[in-house]
Amino acid sequence: MADRPHFSGPPLASPRLAVEATAAGGGRAAAAHSPSRHGWMSSRAISRAFVAFFEERGHHRVASSPLVPINDPTVLLTTAGMQQMTPYFLGLESPPAIRMCSVQKCFRTVDIEEVGDESHNTFFFMLGNFSVGDYFKSESLRWSWEFLTQTMGLPEDRLFPTIHPDDEESLRVWRDEIGVPAQRVVGLSDNWWGPVGDSGPNGPDSEIYFDLGPGFDDGSGTGVGDNPRYLEVWNNVFMQFLQSPDGGRTPLPKQHVDTGMGLERLAMVMQGARSLYDTDLYQPIIQRAAELTGHTYGANPEIDRALRIIADHTRGGTFLISDGVLPGNEGRGYVLRRILRRAIRAGRRAGIDRPFLAEMATIVIDAFGEDYPNLVQRRRQIDRVLTHEEESFGRTLNDGIGRFQILAEGLRERDETVVPGAEVFRLYDTFGFPYDLTVELAREQGFTVDEPGFIQAMEAQRTASRAGGMFKDVARSRADLYVQLAAGRATDFLGYDPERTSVTATVLGMASPVGTVEVAEAGQAIELILDRTPFYAESGGQVGDTGEVRTEDGVVRIDETVRPAADITVHRGVVTEGFIRTGDEALATIDADRRQAIRRNHTATHLLHRALRVVLGEETHQAGSLVAPDRLRFDFTSVEGVHPEQVRRVADIANTQVIADTVVETDVTSYDDAVARGAMALFGEKYGDVVRMVGVGDFSRELCGGTHVSRTGEIGPIVITSEASVASGVRRIEALTGSAALARIAEQQQLVDGLARDLRATRDTLPESVSALRDRTRELEREITRLRGELAGSQVDTLLDQAEPIGSTGARLVATRLVTAEKAGLRQIGDRLRDRLGSGVVILGTVIDGTPSLLAMVTTDLVANGVRAGDIIRQAVPLMDGRGGGRPDLAEAGGRNAAGLDDAIGAARAAAIAMGADRG
C-alpha cells in the first residue's frame, strides 16, 4: 500500500464544541446515516475515548510531534504518526515504551488543488497505536474491532475488514479469533505498506471500512475499496520485513505495529455527517465564514467550495504557524503561503472584502488550544503573521490579477491559448504572484499554462543551489545501513573538551556512495563510523567538523560530519593516501583552528539571541541559525522591521559581555531543572530528560549541544555585518567574530580613510562632506533634467515640421529614429509630440547600449476610432527580434537586433498609415 496513505499518530485534538455545531450546518444533514448505538459523539470525546482505551491496555500516551519533522530533512512536514516512531522501529533510538498511542497532527500537500470539494483536506488528526517489537496482528486487530464495535458502538454488519491476499495470518485472526465470516473479509492487493523509497521496513496492512449507506454509492465501483459508500476508518500496518534495494525481503528481527485512523473520518461516522466538513472539526469555522459572506452554507456550490477552502486552509495554516513555520517562497514556508493565499482568494471570491484570516484563526485557537498549548502561546504571533500576509497578498493579488489580465488580452488578440512559461515565471519571480493561482486564473479563462517552460525558467535560477557532494542528503535514507555498520555500538563524542582535538579510535564500518565496503583506496569517497570521535556532527545550526582520520596504512580527509541517528556519527570524506580498512586503529584529528572559530561564533549567537530579546522584547525567538568558521547567521522572529539604532544596541550589549570576559559554563542536568533555572529551550527542538545547558554568567542560559568557548573574551569583537528580512515575520543578522571581525574593522577603517582623502576631509568632517556632495549631485541632476527638456523641446519643433498626414481627418504622423541616452528621453519627446500634434500618431525608435527600443503613441480621438498603439507595435517587433505591448494609447517594445530598427520603424509607420486611412 505504498501509494496510499495510512493512518497513525500522537496527543488529544478535537475541539470543545456542542452537539448543535454540526446540526447548525446551514441545511446540511446532521444525520446522513445512523452511525452507532451510542449516538452522536464529539471529536474531543472520540479522541479521549481512543487514548483511554489504549492506556487501559498498557500503552504510553505520546505527545504529538510538531508539524515540522524533528531531525529529518528528507520530509517537508509531518504526514503521519508513524514518522516519530520510525527511529524506534529502525533501532536508531530507544522508545519511551514498547506500547504507545497518540493523536498526531498531520499535514499533507498532495491534495492542495483538490481542497474545496467535500472529501479532500490538508491538515488532519491521526489517531494511532503502536507496538515496538511487542504485540502483533492478533492483539492489534482484536483491539481495533473492540474499539469500533464496543467503545464507539458501530454496528458490526456495517464494518468490513480488508487484508492483503497473501496475509493468511490476518485472515485467521479476523475469522477464527474475532468471528468475522470469511466472506466478509475482503482481499485487496494494495493492502501493503511501504517501504518509503527502494528499501526499508514494510509489510501487509489490514484496513477496516465502514458502510456509509446507499446514499453514498455513486456507482463508481463494485464494493469495498473502490466505492465511496465504503469509508476506510482504520488501518493496521504490520511491519514484518526489511526490503533491500533489489526488491528482496527478509523478516525483521522484531515485528512492529503501526495503526491509526483519521479523526476527521471517524467523527464523520460518529456524527452522521455527510462529509468531513460537516463535522464539529470544521463547522464553527465554516459557519463564521458563511456569516462574513452573507451566504448560507449548503445553498450555493461555489460558495460552499470557497468556505471549505477557508476552513481547511486557515485551520492548517494556524497549526503550521504555531509549530514555527512562517510564510516564504520555498519549502514549508511556501506550503503555508500557498494555502493562506488560496484561503484569501476563496474569501474574496465568496464576497469577504475585509481581512478575515486572523478571525478564523481565533476560532481554531479557542477550539484546540487546550490540547495544543502552542496555539495559545503563539496567539499573538499567529494573529500578526496572518494579518501581515493577508494585507501583503491583498496588494499582490490585485496587481497580479491585473497583470495577468493584460497578458490574457494579448494572448486572445494573437489567438493563443497557452500562457508562456517565461511569463508565468515573471509573474511569480518579479511580482510575487503564485504559480498555482496563475494556473487557476488561466483555467478559469480557458487557457493552459506552459508548465515545462515555467520549470525551465525556475531551474535556470536554481542551478547553483543544486550543486552538492556525492553523499548529499542521503543520511536519513541510509539510516538502516549506518545501524548495520555500527554493529550496535554508539559513537562516543569526546569533543567538548577544547584541548582534546585528537582521539584514537577504531573504524567500525565504512560505506561508499553505493554501499558497504571493507577496504577503501586512495581517491575513493567514503563514509566512516568510529567508536570514538572528537568530530562534532552538524546539528542545531552548527556545521560539522573537518579534519583527517589517519591509520597506519592511509589517510582520509574528512570534509563533513553528520549524525543520521542519535548515537551514530558519520564522517564523510576522501581517502587521500594509501588505503583504509574496517577494524583499523585510527587517529581522528579535527581542524582545531576551524573548530575554535566555530566555537567563537556559536557562543556569539547566544549573546546575540539574548541581546535581541533585550532590545526587541521577550517574544523574539530564534528561527534558525548557521554557525560556520568564517561567519555566523542568526534568524529571529519579528514581523516589524528593526531600526539601525536597535541593531547597534544589540551589538553593544553583546560586546559588553565579550569585554567582561565572562565564564561560559556547561551543566548537564534535568530538563525541568534547566528550565526552572531560566534556560531557554528552542522551539521545535527535541529534548530528553537529561539536557546540556550553556550559561554565560547571569546573562544567558540556553539548552544547547554545540561547542563553545570557555570565556567570552575568546570571542573577540562581534561585528554585525547585515540585518534584513528573509521571510514574512523572520529577520536575519549576519556577524563576524575573532580575526574575521578584526579584518572587517580594518577594512572599514581603510575605507573611511580613503574617502576622507578623496573628499579632502578629516574623519570628523567626513559626514558633512558626503552630505554636501549629495546635495551638489542632486542640483546637477535637476540641471540635467532641465537641459534635456530644452533639448527635447527644440527637437519637437523640428520633428513637427516633418509630420505627414494620415487619413482624411487632419491627423498627422511622426515616425523617426532619434539619438538619446535613455528610454526616459524617448518617452519625454513622445509626450511633447503627441500633445503638440493634437490628433495623430507618434512612432520613435532609438538604440541604447546596443539594444533597440521602439515607442508608439496614439491620441485619444484616434484610439476611439480603433487605432491602437499595441497593434502598431506588433507589426514592427519581428523585424528587430523583439517583443512588446502596452495600452491602446501607448505601447513599447525592445529587441535584440539593432540593425532591424529602421525596418521596424518603417513597418510601424505603414501600419499607422493603413489604420488611419481605414478609419479616416
Side-chain angles (χ1 to χ4, degrees), residues 349-483:
R349 295 185 67 181
I352 304 177
D353 56 2
R354 66 171 179 81
F356 67 95
L357 290 184
E359 184 175 343
M360 299 298 103
T362 297
I363 298 173
V364 176
I365 295 169
D366 291 344
F368 298 96
E370 182 176 337
D371 293 319
Y372 295 92
N374 284 347
L375 292 169
V376 177
Q377 295 166 5
R378 296 207 165 195
R379 180 190 291 268
R380 184 166 179 264
Q381 183 186 27
I382 291 168
D383 181 270
R384 291 168 64 183
V385 169
L386 291 177
T387 300
H388 178 81
E389 185 68 11
E390 189 162 10
E391 290 174 350
S392 174
F393 184 58
R395 295 186 295 270
T396 299
L397 186 62
N398 293 335
D399 292 345
I401 290 175
R403 293 181 184 278
F404 180 84
Q405 293 300 90
I406 294 173
L407 181 61
E409 181 180 341
L411 291 173
R412 289 193 188 93
E413 290 178 355
R414 297 190 296 273
D415 291 327
E416 297 177 10
T417 59
V418 180
V419 185
E423 293 293 341
V424 178
F425 181 72
R426 182 170 177 267
L427 279 171
Y428 165 77
D429 189 51
T430 305
F431 304 108
F433 200 68
Y435 170 78
D436 54 289
L437 285 190
T438 301
V439 172
E440 287 189 24
L441 284 173
R443 185 169 54 241
E444 290 168 5
Q445 299 192 35
F447 297 103
T448 59
V449 166
D450 172 21
E451 183 177 4
F454 172 80
I455 294 174
Q456 182 179 1
M458 179 76 78
E459 289 300 324
Q461 188 186 63
R462 293 180 174 176
T463 298
S465 65
R466 290 202 305 269
M470 298 184 70
F471 294 101
K472 183 176 176 62
D473 296 334
V474 301
R476 194 73 182 190
S477 63
R478 288 156 64 104
D480 54 340
L481 174 63
Y482 300 137
V483 172

Side-chain angles (χ1 to χ4, degrees), residues 79-359:
T79 60
M82 164 69 174
Q83 279 178 238
Q84 70 167 323
M85 304 297 165
T86 299
Y88 310 143
F89 291 149
L90 290 175
L92 302 178
E93 298 178 19
S94 298
I98 57 176
R99 295 183 179 186
M100 292 169 282
C101 64
S102 62
V103 182
Q104 173 69 46
K105 50 191 176 183
C106 302
F107 196 104
R108 292 179 180 169
T109 61
V110 293
D111 293 326
I112 287 180
E113 292 296 333
E114 305 302 323
V115 171
D117 61 14
E118 292 189 323
S119 60
H120 290 90
N121 59 357
T122 57
F123 176 82
F124 59 95
F125 298 101
M126 192 174 279
L127 310 172
N129 58 286
F130 310 89
S131 167
V132 183
D134 183 30
Y135 63 81
F136 204 47
K137 295 181 181 180
S138 176
E139 296 90 339
S140 178
L141 296 178
R142 285 192 287 107
W143 287 336
S144 297
W145 192 256
E146 181 181 349
F147 179 78
L148 290 174
T149 60
Q150 297 184 30
T151 305
M152 294 290 100
L154 296 177
E156 294 184 8
D157 61 356
R158 296 179 69 176
L159 291 170
F160 290 83
T162 68
I163 61 170
H164 189 272
D166 297 335
D167 189 4
E168 293 290 336
E169 185 179 356
S170 290
L171 175 60
R172 285 195 298 271
V173 174
W174 283 117
R175 182 189 61 206
D176 302 337
E177 296 186 28
I178 300 175
V180 178
Q183 62 269 24
R184 285 178 52 80
V185 181
V186 181
L188 298 177
S189 60
D190 61 351
N191 273 25
W192 194 276
W193 183 89
V196 178
D198 295 330
S199 62
N202 65 105
D205 61 67
S206 181
E207 302 167 354
I208 303 173
Y209 286 77
F210 180 78
D211 182 2
L212 296 171
F216 288 81
D217 190 339
D218 65 356
S220 61
T222 58
V224 175
D226 62 1
N227 189 308
R229 168 176 177 166
Y230 301 95
L231 179 71
E232 178 195 338
V233 293
W234 204 329
N235 191 5
N236 293 257
V237 177
F238 306 118
M239 281 177 277
Q240 293 180 248
F241 306 103
L242 181 64
Q243 180 169 308
S244 60
D246 63 6
R249 291 173 181 157
T250 56
L252 287 168
K254 291 185 177 181
Q255 298 172 325
H256 312 296
V257 174
D258 159 30
T259 89
M261 60 185 150
L263 176 61
E264 284 76 6
R265 293 192 181 192
L266 189 55
M268 176 180 165
V269 171
M270 297 304 298
Q271 296 174 15
R274 180 70 193 177
S275 77
L276 305 176
Y277 291 95
D278 294 306
T279 66
D280 63 353
L281 289 159
Y282 288 104
Q283 275 297 306
I285 309 172
I286 287 175
Q287 292 303 320
R288 179 55 186 143
E291 290 178 15
L292 296 180
T293 68
H295 294 84
T296 299
Y297 182 58
N300 182 313
E302 287 302 314
I303 298 298
D304 290 353
R305 179 178 178 81
L307 294 174
R308 288 190 289 265
I309 290 173
I310 291 170
D312 175 80
H313 290 350
T314 55
R315 190 173 75 140
T318 301
F319 271 93
L320 283 171
I321 297 169
S322 77
D323 277 351
V325 180
L326 292 168
N329 292 328
E330 293 186 357
R332 303 179 188 99
Y334 180 67
V335 171
L336 174 59
R337 173 159 284 171
R338 183 180 178 189
I339 64 170
L340 293 183
R341 289 178 170 184
R342 287 193 88 234
I344 294 166
R345 185 161 186 256
R348 298 295 186 271
R349 295 185 67 181
I352 304 177
D353 56 2
R354 66 171 179 81
F356 67 95
L357 290 184
E359 184 175 343

Side-chain angles (χ1 to χ4, degrees), residues 501 590-600 629:
T501 58
I590 64 170
D591 182 335
D593 291 340
R594 182 176 182 274
R595 161 71 77 80
Q596 178 62 7
I598 293 171
R599 293 170 69 226
R600 284 194 292 265

